[in-house]
Amino acid sequence: MSPHCWDFISNNRADFGVKRISRVLGVSRAGSYRHLATAQARAERRAEEKQRGCLR
């Protein structure tokens, strides 16, 4: 699943609800909640990789 899909759900969940968006996109609600729960870890990993020069 594209990270953009999860970002879309995160950005629009207040307006439409995770359940509805997930149903329309054909993805699991659990995946959306997992993406939200791991956002901090992804940001930290990205910052660390950027610091080491792994990312542009």
Side-chain angles (χ1 to χ4, degrees):
M1 182 58 49
S2 168
H4 300 293
C5 175
W6 303 122
D7 291 336
F8 178 82
I9 293 171
S10 295
N11 294 337
N12 294 283
R13 66 190 182 126
D15 295 327
F16 302 105
V18 172
K19 184 176 181 179
R20 180 181 293 169
I21 297 171
S22 297
R23 186 179 65 230
V24 169
L25 295 178
V27 298
S28 70
R29 285 186 292 162
S32 176
Y33 292 119
R34 186 179 319 114
H35 180 76
L36 288 173
T38 59
Q40 180 66 32
R42 282 193 315 279
E44 290 171 0
R45 187 169 48 247
R46 207 171 302 130
E48 184 179 305
E49 290 172 351
K50 188 174 182 178
Q51 185 177 27
R52 288 188 305 186
C54 296
L55 294 178
R56 295 178 203 134

Short mmCIF file of all heavy atoms in Angstrom, two decimals:
data_model
loop_
_atom_site.label_atom_id
_atom_site.label_comp_id
_atom_site.label_asym_id
_atom_site.label_seq_id
_atom_site.Cartn_x
_atom_site.Cartn_y
_atom_site.Cartn_z
N MET A 1 0.84 -1.18 0.00
CA MET A 1 0.00 0.00 0.00
C MET A 1 0.88 1.23 0.00
O MET A 1 1.85 1.31 0.73
CB MET A 1 -0.89 -0.05 1.23
CG MET A 1 -1.87 1.10 1.35
SD MET A 1 -3.05 1.37 0.01
CE MET A 1 -3.72 -0.23 -0.25
N SER A 2 0.51 2.17 -0.80
CA SER A 2 1.25 3.42 -0.91
C SER A 2 1.16 4.23 0.38
O SER A 2 0.09 4.36 0.96
CB SER A 2 0.68 4.24 -2.07
OG SER A 2 1.18 5.54 -2.05
N PRO A 3 2.29 4.81 0.80
CA PRO A 3 2.24 5.68 1.98
C PRO A 3 1.29 6.85 1.79
O PRO A 3 0.73 7.38 2.74
CB PRO A 3 3.67 6.17 2.14
CG PRO A 3 4.51 5.27 1.32
CD PRO A 3 3.63 4.67 0.28
N HIS A 4 1.08 7.25 0.53
CA HIS A 4 0.18 8.36 0.25
C HIS A 4 -1.25 8.02 0.64
O HIS A 4 -2.01 8.89 1.05
CB HIS A 4 0.25 8.76 -1.23
CG HIS A 4 1.62 9.19 -1.64
ND1 HIS A 4 2.22 10.34 -1.16
CD2 HIS A 4 2.52 8.62 -2.47
CE1 HIS A 4 3.41 10.47 -1.68
NE2 HIS A 4 3.63 9.42 -2.47
N CYS A 5 -1.61 6.76 0.51
CA CYS A 5 -2.95 6.31 0.90
C CYS A 5 -3.14 6.52 2.40
O CYS A 5 -4.16 7.05 2.83
CB CYS A 5 -3.12 4.84 0.55
SG CYS A 5 -4.67 4.13 1.10
N TRP A 6 -2.16 6.11 3.19
CA TRP A 6 -2.26 6.25 4.63
C TRP A 6 -2.25 7.73 5.02
O TRP A 6 -2.97 8.12 5.94
CB TRP A 6 -1.14 5.51 5.34
CG TRP A 6 -1.09 4.05 4.99
CD1 TRP A 6 -0.04 3.39 4.45
CD2 TRP A 6 -2.14 3.07 5.13
NE1 TRP A 6 -0.36 2.07 4.26
CE2 TRP A 6 -1.64 1.84 4.67
CE3 TRP A 6 -3.45 3.13 5.61
CZ2 TRP A 6 -2.40 0.68 4.67
CZ3 TRP A 6 -4.21 1.97 5.60
CH2 TRP A 6 -3.69 0.76 5.13
N ASP A 7 -1.46 8.53 4.33
CA ASP A 7 -1.45 9.98 4.60
C ASP A 7 -2.81 10.59 4.28
O ASP A 7 -3.30 11.44 5.01
CB ASP A 7 -0.36 10.68 3.78
CG ASP A 7 1.04 10.31 4.24
OD1 ASP A 7 1.20 9.91 5.41
OD2 ASP A 7 1.96 10.42 3.42
N PHE A 8 -3.42 10.14 3.19
CA PHE A 8 -4.76 10.63 2.82
C PHE A 8 -5.76 10.32 3.93
O PHE A 8 -6.55 11.18 4.33
CB PHE A 8 -5.21 10.00 1.50
CG PHE A 8 -6.60 10.42 1.10
CD1 PHE A 8 -6.81 11.63 0.46
CD2 PHE A 8 -7.69 9.62 1.39
CE1 PHE A 8 -8.09 12.03 0.11
CE2 PHE A 8 -8.98 10.02 1.04
CZ PHE A 8 -9.17 11.22 0.40
N ILE A 9 -5.72 9.10 4.43
CA ILE A 9 -6.63 8.71 5.50
C ILE A 9 -6.38 9.58 6.73
O ILE A 9 -7.32 10.10 7.34
CB ILE A 9 -6.48 7.22 5.84
CG1 ILE A 9 -6.97 6.37 4.65
CG2 ILE A 9 -7.28 6.86 7.10
CD1 ILE A 9 -6.68 4.89 4.79
N SER A 10 -5.12 9.76 7.09
CA SER A 10 -4.79 10.58 8.27
C SER A 10 -5.29 12.00 8.12
O SER A 10 -5.81 12.59 9.06
CB SER A 10 -3.28 10.59 8.48
OG SER A 10 -2.81 9.31 8.80
N ASN A 11 -5.12 12.56 6.93
CA ASN A 11 -5.50 13.95 6.70
C ASN A 11 -7.00 14.18 6.62
O ASN A 11 -7.47 15.30 6.83
CB ASN A 11 -4.84 14.47 5.42
CG ASN A 11 -3.34 14.54 5.53
OD1 ASN A 11 -2.79 14.62 6.61
ND2 ASN A 11 -2.67 14.49 4.39
N ASN A 12 -7.76 13.13 6.31
CA ASN A 12 -9.20 13.30 6.08
C ASN A 12 -10.08 12.53 7.06
O ASN A 12 -11.30 12.55 6.92
CB ASN A 12 -9.54 12.88 4.65
CG ASN A 12 -8.93 13.80 3.64
OD1 ASN A 12 -9.40 14.90 3.42
ND2 ASN A 12 -7.82 13.37 3.04
N ARG A 13 -9.48 11.91 8.04
CA ARG A 13 -10.29 11.08 8.95
C ARG A 13 -11.26 11.88 9.79
O ARG A 13 -12.33 11.39 10.13
CB ARG A 13 -9.39 10.23 9.83
CG ARG A 13 -8.55 10.99 10.81
CD ARG A 13 -7.54 10.07 11.46
NE ARG A 13 -6.77 10.82 12.42
CZ ARG A 13 -6.64 10.48 13.68
NH1 ARG A 13 -7.20 9.38 14.12
NH2 ARG A 13 -5.92 11.21 14.50
N ALA A 14 -10.97 13.13 10.10
CA ALA A 14 -11.89 13.95 10.89
C ALA A 14 -13.16 14.26 10.09
O ALA A 14 -14.25 14.34 10.65
CB ALA A 14 -11.21 15.24 11.33
N ASP A 15 -13.01 14.42 8.79
CA ASP A 15 -14.16 14.76 7.94
C ASP A 15 -15.01 13.55 7.57
O ASP A 15 -16.23 13.66 7.51
CB ASP A 15 -13.68 15.44 6.65
CG ASP A 15 -13.02 16.77 6.91
OD1 ASP A 15 -13.43 17.46 7.86
OD2 ASP A 15 -12.09 17.13 6.16
N PHE A 16 -14.36 12.42 7.28
CA PHE A 16 -15.09 11.27 6.75
C PHE A 16 -15.05 10.03 7.62
O PHE A 16 -15.85 9.12 7.43
CB PHE A 16 -14.55 10.91 5.36
CG PHE A 16 -14.64 12.04 4.38
CD1 PHE A 16 -13.51 12.75 4.03
CD2 PHE A 16 -15.86 12.41 3.84
CE1 PHE A 16 -13.58 13.81 3.13
CE2 PHE A 16 -15.94 13.47 2.95
CZ PHE A 16 -14.80 14.16 2.60
N GLY A 17 -14.12 9.97 8.55
CA GLY A 17 -13.98 8.79 9.39
C GLY A 17 -13.12 7.72 8.74
O GLY A 17 -13.17 7.52 7.53
N VAL A 18 -12.34 7.07 9.55
CA VAL A 18 -11.42 6.04 9.06
C VAL A 18 -12.18 4.88 8.43
O VAL A 18 -11.80 4.35 7.39
CB VAL A 18 -10.50 5.53 10.20
CG1 VAL A 18 -9.68 4.34 9.76
CG2 VAL A 18 -9.60 6.65 10.68
N LYS A 19 -13.28 4.50 9.06
CA LYS A 19 -14.06 3.36 8.55
C LYS A 19 -14.53 3.60 7.12
O LYS A 19 -14.36 2.75 6.25
CB LYS A 19 -15.25 3.10 9.47
CG LYS A 19 -16.06 1.89 9.09
CD LYS A 19 -17.17 1.64 10.09
CE LYS A 19 -17.98 0.42 9.73
NZ LYS A 19 -19.03 0.18 10.73
N ARG A 20 -15.10 4.76 6.88
CA ARG A 20 -15.64 5.06 5.55
C ARG A 20 -14.53 5.16 4.51
O ARG A 20 -14.61 4.57 3.42
CB ARG A 20 -16.43 6.35 5.57
CG ARG A 20 -17.00 6.70 4.20
CD ARG A 20 -17.76 7.99 4.21
NE ARG A 20 -18.96 7.81 5.02
CZ ARG A 20 -19.74 8.80 5.40
NH1 ARG A 20 -19.46 10.04 5.06
NH2 ARG A 20 -20.80 8.58 6.12
N ILE A 21 -13.46 5.90 4.82
CA ILE A 21 -12.37 6.05 3.86
C ILE A 21 -11.73 4.69 3.56
O ILE A 21 -11.44 4.37 2.41
CB ILE A 21 -11.30 7.03 4.37
CG1 ILE A 21 -11.89 8.43 4.54
CG2 ILE A 21 -10.12 7.09 3.42
CD1 ILE A 21 -10.96 9.41 5.23
N SER A 22 -11.52 3.89 4.59
CA SER A 22 -10.91 2.57 4.40
C SER A 22 -11.77 1.70 3.50
O SER A 22 -11.25 0.99 2.64
CB SER A 22 -10.70 1.88 5.75
OG SER A 22 -9.81 2.62 6.54
N ARG A 23 -13.07 1.76 3.70
CA ARG A 23 -13.98 0.96 2.88
C ARG A 23 -13.91 1.39 1.43
O ARG A 23 -13.80 0.56 0.52
CB ARG A 23 -15.41 1.07 3.40
CG ARG A 23 -16.38 0.15 2.68
CD ARG A 23 -17.79 0.25 3.22
NE ARG A 23 -18.31 1.58 2.96
CZ ARG A 23 -18.89 2.37 3.86
NH1 ARG A 23 -19.03 1.97 5.09
NH2 ARG A 23 -19.35 3.55 3.52
N VAL A 24 -13.92 2.70 1.18
CA VAL A 24 -13.87 3.22 -0.19
C VAL A 24 -12.55 2.86 -0.87
O VAL A 24 -12.52 2.48 -2.04
CB VAL A 24 -14.10 4.75 -0.21
CG1 VAL A 24 -13.80 5.35 -1.56
CG2 VAL A 24 -15.53 5.07 0.21
N LEU A 25 -11.45 2.98 -0.13
CA LEU A 25 -10.13 2.69 -0.70
C LEU A 25 -9.81 1.20 -0.74
O LEU A 25 -8.85 0.79 -1.38
CB LEU A 25 -9.05 3.42 0.09
CG LEU A 25 -9.09 4.94 0.03
CD1 LEU A 25 -7.99 5.54 0.89
CD2 LEU A 25 -8.98 5.45 -1.40
N GLY A 26 -10.60 0.41 -0.02
CA GLY A 26 -10.36 -1.04 -0.01
C GLY A 26 -9.16 -1.44 0.82
O GLY A 26 -8.45 -2.38 0.47
N VAL A 27 -8.91 -0.72 1.91
CA VAL A 27 -7.80 -1.03 2.81
C VAL A 27 -8.35 -1.32 4.20
O VAL A 27 -9.50 -1.00 4.51
CB VAL A 27 -6.77 0.12 2.88
CG1 VAL A 27 -6.16 0.37 1.51
CG2 VAL A 27 -7.40 1.39 3.40
N SER A 28 -7.53 -1.92 5.02
CA SER A 28 -7.98 -2.26 6.37
C SER A 28 -7.88 -1.06 7.30
O SER A 28 -6.98 -0.24 7.18
CB SER A 28 -7.15 -3.42 6.94
OG SER A 28 -5.84 -2.99 7.21
N ARG A 29 -8.82 -0.98 8.22
CA ARG A 29 -8.76 0.06 9.25
C ARG A 29 -7.54 -0.17 10.14
O ARG A 29 -6.89 0.78 10.57
CB ARG A 29 -10.03 0.07 10.08
CG ARG A 29 -11.20 0.68 9.35
CD ARG A 29 -12.38 0.81 10.25
NE ARG A 29 -12.89 -0.52 10.60
CZ ARG A 29 -13.68 -0.77 11.62
NH1 ARG A 29 -14.05 0.18 12.44
NH2 ARG A 29 -14.10 -1.98 11.85
N ALA A 30 -7.24 -1.43 10.40
CA ALA A 30 -6.10 -1.75 11.25
C ALA A 30 -4.81 -1.19 10.67
O ALA A 30 -3.95 -0.68 11.40
CB ALA A 30 -5.98 -3.26 11.43
N GLY A 31 -4.66 -1.25 9.37
CA GLY A 31 -3.48 -0.70 8.71
C GLY A 31 -3.38 0.79 8.92
O GLY A 31 -2.29 1.34 9.13
N SER A 32 -4.49 1.46 8.88
CA SER A 32 -4.51 2.91 9.08
C SER A 32 -4.10 3.25 10.50
O SER A 32 -3.28 4.16 10.72
CB SER A 32 -5.91 3.46 8.80
OG SER A 32 -5.95 4.83 9.09
N TYR A 33 -4.64 2.53 11.47
CA TYR A 33 -4.28 2.79 12.86
C TYR A 33 -2.82 2.43 13.14
O TYR A 33 -2.15 3.09 13.91
CB TYR A 33 -5.22 2.05 13.80
CG TYR A 33 -6.62 2.61 13.76
CD1 TYR A 33 -7.69 1.83 13.36
CD2 TYR A 33 -6.86 3.93 14.09
CE1 TYR A 33 -8.98 2.35 13.31
CE2 TYR A 33 -8.14 4.46 14.04
CZ TYR A 33 -9.19 3.66 13.65
OH TYR A 33 -10.46 4.19 13.61
N ARG A 34 -2.32 1.39 12.47
CA ARG A 34 -0.91 1.01 12.62
C ARG A 34 -0.02 2.13 12.08
O ARG A 34 1.00 2.48 12.68
CB ARG A 34 -0.63 -0.29 11.89
CG ARG A 34 0.78 -0.82 12.11
CD ARG A 34 1.05 -2.14 11.40
NE ARG A 34 -0.05 -3.07 11.46
CZ ARG A 34 -0.78 -3.47 10.40
NH1 ARG A 34 -0.50 -3.01 9.20
NH2 ARG A 34 -1.76 -4.31 10.53
N HIS A 35 -0.41 2.70 10.95
CA HIS A 35 0.35 3.80 10.36
C HIS A 35 0.40 4.98 11.32
O HIS A 35 1.45 5.59 11.51
CB HIS A 35 -0.28 4.21 9.03
CG HIS A 35 0.41 5.32 8.34
ND1 HIS A 35 1.59 5.16 7.67
CD2 HIS A 35 0.10 6.63 8.24
CE1 HIS A 35 1.97 6.33 7.18
NE2 HIS A 35 1.08 7.23 7.50
N LEU A 36 -0.72 5.31 11.92
CA LEU A 36 -0.75 6.41 12.89
C LEU A 36 0.12 6.12 14.11
O LEU A 36 0.84 6.98 14.60
CB LEU A 36 -2.19 6.67 13.35
CG LEU A 36 -3.12 7.31 12.35
CD1 LEU A 36 -4.54 7.34 12.91
CD2 LEU A 36 -2.65 8.71 12.02
N ALA A 37 0.06 4.89 14.59
CA ALA A 37 0.80 4.52 15.80
C ALA A 37 2.31 4.51 15.58
O ALA A 37 3.07 4.70 16.52
CB ALA A 37 0.34 3.15 16.29
N THR A 38 2.75 4.30 14.35
CA THR A 38 4.18 4.20 14.08
C THR A 38 4.76 5.46 13.45
O THR A 38 5.91 5.47 13.04
CB THR A 38 4.47 2.99 13.17
OG1 THR A 38 3.75 3.14 11.94
CG2 THR A 38 4.08 1.68 13.84
N ALA A 39 3.98 6.53 13.40
CA ALA A 39 4.43 7.77 12.76
C ALA A 39 5.69 8.33 13.42
O ALA A 39 6.62 8.76 12.74
CB ALA A 39 3.32 8.81 12.76
N GLN A 40 5.73 8.32 14.73
CA GLN A 40 6.89 8.87 15.45
C GLN A 40 8.14 8.07 15.13
O GLN A 40 9.20 8.64 14.88
CB GLN A 40 6.62 8.86 16.96
CG GLN A 40 7.76 9.41 17.78
CD GLN A 40 8.00 10.90 17.53
OE1 GLN A 40 7.08 11.64 17.27
NE2 GLN A 40 9.24 11.30 17.63
N ALA A 41 8.04 6.76 15.13
CA ALA A 41 9.20 5.91 14.84
C ALA A 41 9.70 6.14 13.41
O ALA A 41 10.91 6.20 13.17
CB ALA A 41 8.84 4.44 15.04
N ARG A 42 8.77 6.30 12.46
CA ARG A 42 9.18 6.57 11.07
C ARG A 42 9.89 7.91 10.96
O ARG A 42 10.90 8.03 10.27
CB ARG A 42 7.97 6.54 10.14
CG ARG A 42 7.49 5.16 9.79
CD ARG A 42 6.49 5.18 8.62
NE ARG A 42 5.48 6.21 8.74
CZ ARG A 42 4.38 6.13 9.49
NH1 ARG A 42 4.16 5.05 10.20
NH2 ARG A 42 3.52 7.11 9.52
N ALA A 43 9.39 8.91 11.65
CA ALA A 43 10.00 10.24 11.61
C ALA A 43 11.41 10.20 12.21
O ALA A 43 12.34 10.80 11.65
CB ALA A 43 9.13 11.25 12.35
N GLU A 44 11.57 9.50 13.31
CA GLU A 44 12.89 9.38 13.93
C GLU A 44 13.86 8.65 13.02
O GLU A 44 15.02 9.05 12.88
CB GLU A 44 12.77 8.66 15.27
CG GLU A 44 12.08 9.47 16.33
CD GLU A 44 11.77 8.68 17.59
OE1 GLU A 44 12.11 7.47 17.65
OE2 GLU A 44 11.19 9.26 18.53
N ARG A 45 13.40 7.57 12.41
CA ARG A 45 14.25 6.80 11.50
C ARG A 45 14.65 7.65 10.30
O ARG A 45 15.81 7.64 9.88
CB ARG A 45 13.51 5.53 11.06
CG ARG A 45 14.36 4.58 10.25
CD ARG A 45 13.70 3.22 10.04
NE ARG A 45 12.33 3.29 9.60
CZ ARG A 45 11.26 2.91 10.31
NH1 ARG A 45 11.41 2.43 11.53
NH2 ARG A 45 10.04 3.00 9.84
N ARG A 46 13.71 8.39 9.76
CA ARG A 46 13.99 9.27 8.61
C ARG A 46 15.01 10.33 8.98
O ARG A 46 15.95 10.60 8.21
CB ARG A 46 12.69 9.92 8.14
CG ARG A 46 12.69 10.29 6.70
CD ARG A 46 11.31 10.74 6.22
NE ARG A 46 10.31 9.71 6.43
CZ ARG A 46 9.13 9.91 7.02
NH1 ARG A 46 8.80 11.09 7.46
NH2 ARG A 46 8.28 8.92 7.18
N ALA A 47 14.89 10.92 10.16
CA ALA A 47 15.83 11.95 10.61
C ALA A 47 17.22 11.36 10.80
O ALA A 47 18.23 11.97 10.43
CB ALA A 47 15.33 12.58 11.91
N GLU A 48 17.28 10.16 11.36
CA GLU A 48 18.56 9.50 11.56
C GLU A 48 19.23 9.18 10.23
O GLU A 48 20.43 9.39 10.06
CB GLU A 48 18.35 8.22 12.36
CG GLU A 48 19.63 7.49 12.71
CD GLU A 48 19.35 6.24 13.52
OE1 GLU A 48 18.69 6.35 14.58
OE2 GLU A 48 19.77 5.15 13.09
N GLU A 49 18.46 8.68 9.28
CA GLU A 49 19.00 8.36 7.96
C GLU A 49 19.47 9.64 7.25
O GLU A 49 20.50 9.63 6.59
CB GLU A 49 17.96 7.63 7.12
CG GLU A 49 17.70 6.22 7.60
CD GLU A 49 16.53 5.56 6.89
OE1 GLU A 49 15.81 6.25 6.13
OE2 GLU A 49 16.34 4.35 7.09
N LYS A 50 18.72 10.69 7.40
CA LYS A 50 19.10 11.96 6.78
C LYS A 50 20.41 12.47 7.38
O LYS A 50 21.30 12.95 6.67
CB LYS A 50 18.00 12.99 6.96
CG LYS A 50 18.22 14.25 6.20
CD LYS A 50 17.03 15.16 6.32
CE LYS A 50 17.25 16.43 5.50
NZ LYS A 50 16.09 17.30 5.57
N GLN A 51 20.54 12.33 8.69
CA GLN A 51 21.74 12.78 9.38
C GLN A 51 22.97 11.97 8.92
O GLN A 51 24.05 12.51 8.79
CB GLN A 51 21.57 12.65 10.89
CG GLN A 51 22.71 13.20 11.68
CD GLN A 51 22.45 13.10 13.18
OE1 GLN A 51 21.70 12.23 13.63
NE2 GLN A 51 23.06 13.98 13.94
N ARG A 52 22.79 10.69 8.69
CA ARG A 52 23.89 9.84 8.25
C ARG A 52 24.17 10.00 6.75
O ARG A 52 25.13 9.44 6.24
CB ARG A 52 23.57 8.37 8.52
CG ARG A 52 23.62 8.03 9.99
CD ARG A 52 23.48 6.57 10.20
NE ARG A 52 22.24 6.10 9.55
CZ ARG A 52 21.75 4.88 9.63
NH1 ARG A 52 22.40 3.98 10.32
NH2 ARG A 52 20.63 4.54 9.05
N GLY A 53 23.30 10.72 6.06
CA GLY A 53 23.50 10.93 4.64
C GLY A 53 22.90 9.87 3.75
O GLY A 53 23.21 9.80 2.57
N CYS A 54 22.02 9.05 4.31
CA CYS A 54 21.37 8.01 3.52
C CYS A 54 20.25 8.57 2.65
O CYS A 54 19.90 7.99 1.64
CB CYS A 54 20.78 6.92 4.42
SG CYS A 54 22.05 6.03 5.35
N LEU A 55 19.70 9.70 3.06
CA LEU A 55 18.62 10.34 2.29
C LEU A 55 19.11 11.66 1.74
O LEU A 55 20.05 12.26 2.24
CB LEU A 55 17.41 10.60 3.20
CG LEU A 55 16.69 9.38 3.73
CD1 LEU A 55 15.56 9.83 4.64
CD2 LEU A 55 16.14 8.54 2.62
N ARG A 56 18.45 12.11 0.73
CA ARG A 56 18.79 13.39 0.12
C ARG A 56 18.16 14.53 0.85
O ARG A 56 17.23 14.53 1.48
CB ARG A 56 18.31 13.42 -1.32
CG ARG A 56 19.03 12.41 -2.14
CD ARG A 56 18.51 12.40 -3.56
NE ARG A 56 18.85 11.12 -4.08
CZ ARG A 56 18.04 10.35 -4.75
NH1 ARG A 56 16.83 10.72 -5.02
NH2 ARG A 56 18.42 9.19 -5.19
#
